[in-house]
Amino acid sequence: MAQAAQLKALILAGNYDEQFKFLYKSGIDDQRKRYCAALERFEAHFGSDRDLWIFSAPGRTELSGNHTDHQHGRVLAAAVTLDVLAIVAPRSDNRVDLRSEGFRPCQLDLSELQPLESEKGSSVSLIRGIAADLTRLGCQIGGFDAYTVSQVPFGSGLSSSAAFETLAGCIFSYLFNGGRIDPIQIAKTGQFAENQYFGKPCGLMDQTASACGNVIAIDFADPNQPQVEQIEFDFSILGYSLYVINAGGSHADLTDEYAAIPDEMRSVAARFGQTVLRSVNPHEFFLKLPDLRKEVGDRAVLRAMHFFEENERVALQVDALRKKNLNEYLH
């Protein structure tokens, strides 16, 4: 924790280059400039006499396990080198003043922690929901000023929302709880905020991948205690990189379509007396296909087939990466 001028001097002197190499792999000089510019923007909004913290939370990609998390399935995911960066200073009151590059100011009072209908779908709702859940868990919360800048393209499928939730969870953890909030809890709190305050019925994969980092295998058989395994595998050593194309789209108006996916999968599970597809025997499912098509429709059946295939694929790909067998993984 230091003031902006001191942090800029340390960054430009290369004191944080090892951290930048870990987070971004390359483009270290660009990151030095980016961090210094963010510090200057914080100063412009909030003054130069503040003791500051710097936080980063990554976007994520799913390597395998698409729409399996909300059915208590398996996921293979990875954090990416595109992140949301925040310059933060604590306040002595319960107010949050958040300024983000390219967005309108976000301000709220954490003395009120009930969900507000008028805030649904906004960043304000996520901060309020995260604060509410942490308070429920007995954690401390407080106000802060922050300036954020994001490299995670909005609507890109890299989950800018989960990165933002992870960022907010880490801010509360380190500013007010000594950094003691577990990454899995930060992920679960982010999901709570997105489900109950933002209004999107998401699973837990996005938040877990962002909060835990690196390449991870997650088993959501018990979503309250997901099993997370760090997979030691560096695709770049073998000459592979993940490329992201920013198509300029947005998921903002697709919440209803998104919600239909878990709803239809659960409608299939219900035909077997279960709440999620992870509890359904795939063999029994395929035996009952003709009846299921009549009862729930082809789209729900196809989505259930997708789940069973993806859930199995994750297990095979994780095993391949454990064995360092890229050809088997790609197959």
Side-chain angles (χ1 to χ4, degrees), residues 57-59 83-84 152 158-168 206 210:
D83 68 341
V84 183
V152 186
L158 297 177
S159 198
S160 57
S161 58
F164 182 82
E165 292 155 19
T166 298
L167 194 75
D206 295 352
S210 181

Side-chain angles (χ1 to χ4, degrees), residues 61-66 75-79 214-217 231-236 238-243 310 312-331:
T61 184
E62 56 190 45
L63 301 177
S64 193
N66 173 254
V75 174
L76 179 63
N214 297 313
V215 179
I216 57 173
I231 305 294
E232 297 299 327
F233 192 93
D234 189 340
F235 288 92
S236 64
L238 298 176
Y240 282 83
S241 294
L242 175 74
Y243 278 78
E310 280 286 278
E312 180 62 24
R313 186 177 295 113
V314 170
L316 296 172
Q317 288 188 312
V318 169
D319 185 61
L321 293 185
R322 288 194 192 112
K323 296 185 295 188
K324 312 296 184 190
N325 188 333
L326 183 65
N327 288 332
E328 184 179 329
Y329 166 82
L330 293 174
H331 172 74

